[in-house]
């Protein structure tokens, strides 16, 4: 069960965020409303939400998931692979927020790069995708830090997705949403895989929060598959975040 969530309000500079989506620039006023609805859904799922102030100098800073990995034993501050995001990981308000919840805070160091959008937690085990943003040096540091606290991790080769969790979502109870290249990845054979079709691939980025699953709006086949598994579903529109390669999991730290 998750007790706490940290989010950051999107900044007015969100339209300058990194993107490969080709869907136009996000509209700040819409992004703000969508973020408020996202926080409302999280609150409905029974967590305490810490809301950090926007940072205009960092257009992607609402995607807080990438700058820290929150585990049951420690928080690990990452070192983002995207240069424009590297200083986000050291923002004082984020460190202070984590210090309220964690006695132990660790850091990924050069030459390692890690964005926690590449990390999927399954109990005490963490799958770490090797992507354009997370390198092997960073993944090895991350695994060593996890092992220091009695947790475990393994690397997953990737070729297509931006982040590991772009195409994977663990919904607890051995249920795993899979899209694209991960449908045939040997690492995930033991899971009950719910395959997501190409036309709704973005919908694979859902989040499980205390028996609710938050699902992006506009992906009815994904929503039905999750409801058929017996989960309570909350739907949140993330269309403005999709324009800058972001989704539901990217917008929060959940622990």
């Amino acid at each position: 069960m998750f007790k706490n969530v940290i989010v950051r309000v999107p900044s007015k500079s969100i339209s300058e965020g990194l993107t490969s989506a080709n869907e136009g620039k996000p509209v700040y006023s819409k992004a703000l409303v969508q973020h408020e609805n996202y926080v409302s859904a999280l609150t409905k799922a029974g967590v305490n939400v810490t809301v950090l102030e926007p940072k205009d100098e960092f257009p992607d800073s609402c995607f807080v998931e990438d700058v820290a990995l929150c585990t049951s034993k420690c928080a690990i501050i990452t070192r983002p692979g995207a240069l424009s995001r590297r200083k986000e990981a050291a923002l004082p308000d984020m460190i202070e927020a984590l210090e309220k919840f964690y006695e132990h805070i660790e850091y990924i160091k050069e030459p390692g790069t890690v964005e926690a959008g590449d990390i999927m937690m399954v109990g005490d085990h963490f799958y770490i995708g090797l992507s354009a943003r997370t390198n092997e040096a960073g993944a090895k540091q991350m695994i060593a830090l996890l092992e220091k606290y009695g947790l475990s991790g393994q690397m997953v080769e990737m070729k297509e997705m931006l982040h590991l969790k772009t195409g994977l979502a663990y919904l607890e109870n051995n249920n795993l949403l899979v899209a694209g290249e991960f449908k045939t990845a040997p690492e995930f054979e033991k899971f009950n895989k719910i395959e997501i079709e190409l036309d709704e691939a973005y919908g694979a980025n859902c989040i499980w929060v205390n028996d609710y699953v938050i699902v992006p709006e506009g992906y009815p086949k994904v929503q039905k598959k999750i409801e058929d598994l017996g989960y309570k579903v909350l739907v949140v529109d993330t269309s403005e975040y999709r324009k800058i390669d972001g989704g539901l999991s990217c917008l929060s730290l959940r622990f």
Side-chain angles (χ1 to χ4, degrees), residues 26-243:
V27 177
Y28 171 63
S29 57
K30 286 185 182 173
L32 218 49
V33 170
Q34 289 180 4
H35 197 267
E36 286 168 5
N37 292 338
Y38 178 73
V39 171
S40 296
L42 288 165
T43 304
K44 190 170 182 181
V47 291
N48 167 55
V49 183
T50 299
V51 181
L52 303 181
E53 295 293 311
K55 294 288 183 189
D56 287 346
E57 63 273 38
F58 297 109
D60 291 289
S61 56
C62 57
F63 298 131
V64 290
E65 177 179 63
D66 287 320
V67 300
L69 179 69
C70 293
T71 78
S72 57
K73 308 284 177 63
C74 64
I76 301 168
I77 305 296
T78 67
R79 187 169 176 268
L83 275 172
S84 64
R85 302 198 62 191
R86 198 150 291 165
K87 289 181 179 166
E88 275 180 48
L91 285 170
D93 62 342
M94 175 58 80
I95 307 292
E96 283 167 25
L98 289 167
E99 282 174 342
K100 286 181 184 154
F101 299 105
Y102 284 101
E103 187 182 346
H104 303 290
I105 296 182
E106 304 281 355
Y107 292 81
I108 299 295
K109 299 181 172 67
E110 198 176 354
T113 63
V114 176
E115 292 185 8
D118 280 320
I119 304 179
M120 181 176 73
M121 177 177 76
V122 177
D124 287 337
H125 187 68
F126 294 77
Y127 293 90
I128 304 168
L130 298 177
S131 70
R133 305 283 185 87
T134 297
N135 64 19
E136 193 171 333
K140 283 180 173 171
Q141 280 185 49
M142 185 61 79
I143 291 167
L145 289 169
L146 291 168
E147 288 175 348
K148 175 178 169 182
Y149 292 92
L151 307 168
S152 59
Q154 74 183 87
M155 291 183 261
V156 179
E157 295 285 344
M158 289 169 53
K159 294 182 179 68
E160 297 162 24
M161 302 279 186
L162 171 69
H163 281 137
L164 185 80
K165 282 190 290 205
T166 305
L168 287 172
Y170 184 57
L171 306 182
E172 304 297 315
N173 309 313
N174 206 45
N175 293 319
L176 183 68
L177 297 187
V178 290
E181 63 185 301
F182 301 124
K183 288 182 181 180
T184 54
E187 293 91 342
F188 308 116
E189 276 172 3
K190 66 174 199 232
F191 292 97
N192 174 36
K193 291 192 285 189
I194 299 94
E195 297 197 356
I196 306 302
E197 291 90 353
L198 188 62
D199 64 331
E200 288 200 4
Y202 177 83
N205 186 258
C206 299
I207 49 174
W208 177 94
V209 185
N210 303 344
D211 295 328
Y212 285 90
V213 177
I214 304 178
V215 178
E217 186 177 277
Y219 304 90
K221 288 185 277 189
V222 174
Q223 185 177 339
K224 183 173 187 314
K225 286 182 179 188
I226 293 169
E227 287 171 343
D228 287 349
L229 290 167
Y231 294 103
K232 294 176 283 190
V233 166
L234 298 170
V235 178
V236 176
D237 186 359
T238 54
S239 54
E240 297 306 305
Y241 299 96
R242 180 175 179 168
K243 294 174 182 176

